[in-house]
Amino acid sequence: LTISPFWFLSNYFYNLSLSWTSVTSSTVCSSTGSVFTFLIGLKFGDEIFSWYAVVGVLLAVFGSAYTAFGDAAGDQADAGTCDNAVAADAEPDDGLRALGDATGLAAALGYGIYCTLIRVRVPSDGSMSTALVFGYIGLINTAVLGPICLTELLRGGLASHLTWEIFGALVLKGLLDNVVSDWLWAQSVVLTSATVATVGMSLTIPIAFSSDYLLWGIVPNFQSVLGASGVLLAFFLVNYSNRNR
């Protein structure tokens, strides 16, 4: 009951930020989750202050933001031949962008809260099942929000657009992302620390670049390599600060 509201609000605000601001701004705001997680962990007594952790957390934010801005610059260069009117229509106005940035920060704050709560409430000795915790979170959210979602689905006419192909994609995404991925992430939170697990999620950046290079031969630019290197170094630093736990 304590974790479920923050879990839902974090995901809800993150999706709102994607609708109201640019992908770059949303990525930068979500990367601040490691800062909130570290500060909340200090408040709960779960984290021990260390300059290695401070530098690592800030470096993770820098690496994610630097990579995001590099991708945005590349996308703008590629889109230079597109119709300017279409590009202008796709850009949100300043007021909506500011609101999107605020919801992105709210999502990062909510993530830091429920991530730390999982770390504090779920013991690392295996006496409580992590899968059971997520099962209860899903059950509570389904019981509370299921009727609302079903009503909106039927009233808004969205059910007519829900094909078996879309339904299968949603189920597959839910199993791989919201079940397997979240369970592995929660295990890392319980076995290491909330900050280590959060910074570890940023490793998707260098892994994605490596996959692009190995599978498709796409060579990342210097800015992307520098950002990914910052994320790697950040992960090693927060792990080093966690060595005496």
Side-chain angles (χ1 to χ4, degrees):
L1 289 175
T2 306
I3 301 173
S4 296
F6 293 107
W7 183 90
F8 168 74
L9 290 174
S10 176
N11 286 276
Y12 178 71
F13 283 136
Y14 175 73
N15 283 282
L16 278 183
S17 71
L18 288 176
S19 302
W20 291 344
T21 188
S22 64
V23 176
T24 303
S25 296
S26 180
T27 302
V28 173
C29 290
S30 62
S31 68
T32 60
S34 58
V35 178
F36 289 120
T37 303
F38 180 64
L39 294 177
I40 296 171
L42 289 174
K43 178 66 176 179
F44 275 84
D46 182 61
E47 296 287 350
I48 301 174
F49 182 84
S50 168
W51 284 111
Y52 289 107
V54 172
V55 174
V57 167
L58 295 179
L59 196 57
V61 175
F62 165 78
S64 300
Y66 197 66
T67 304
F69 282 118
D71 290 344
D75 290 341
Q76 290 177 357
D78 293 339
T81 58
C82 295
D83 185 26
N84 292 332
V86 175
D89 290 338
E91 285 293 323
D93 57 59
D94 292 339
L96 200 60
R97 185 188 295 271
L99 188 59
D101 293 342
T103 54
L105 290 174
L109 176 59
Y111 168 85
I113 294 174
Y114 85 75
C115 182
T116 306
L117 285 174
I118 289 177
R119 169 67 186 173
V120 173
R121 297 294 181 87
V122 180
S124 58
D125 58 3
S127 59
M128 183 183 296
S129 171
T130 306
L132 185 62
V133 172
F134 271 101
Y136 278 122
I137 293 175
L139 179 62
I140 293 171
N141 281 289
T142 301
V144 175
L145 303 171
I148 301 175
C149 294
L150 186 60
T151 302
E152 288 295 322
L153 181 66
L154 297 176
R155 187 178 63 179
L158 297 177
S160 60
H161 301 286
L162 184 62
T163 64
W164 284 108
E165 183 179 356
I166 296 176
F167 180 76
L170 290 173
V171 172
L172 183 62
K173 189 264 183 187
L175 289 175
L176 295 179
D177 183 14
N178 301 107
V179 177
V180 177
S181 177
D182 281 359
W183 181 81
L184 292 173
W185 163 81
Q187 287 292 101
S188 68
V189 171
V190 173
L191 296 176
T192 57
S193 75
T195 303
V196 171
T198 302
V199 175
M201 291 176 62
S202 301
L203 292 177
T204 53
I205 295 175
I207 291 174
F209 288 146
S210 300
S211 300
D212 284 341
Y213 177 74
L214 294 175
L215 296 177
W216 313 109
I218 300 175
V219 180
N221 56 35
F222 174 77
Q223 188 168 348
S224 298
V225 172
L226 186 61
S229 301
V231 171
L232 279 173
L233 181 58
F235 184 67
F236 287 120
L237 286 174
V238 294
N239 271 281
Y240 184 77
S241 69
N242 199 50
R243 68 193 185 282
N244 293 326
R245 292 177 64 91

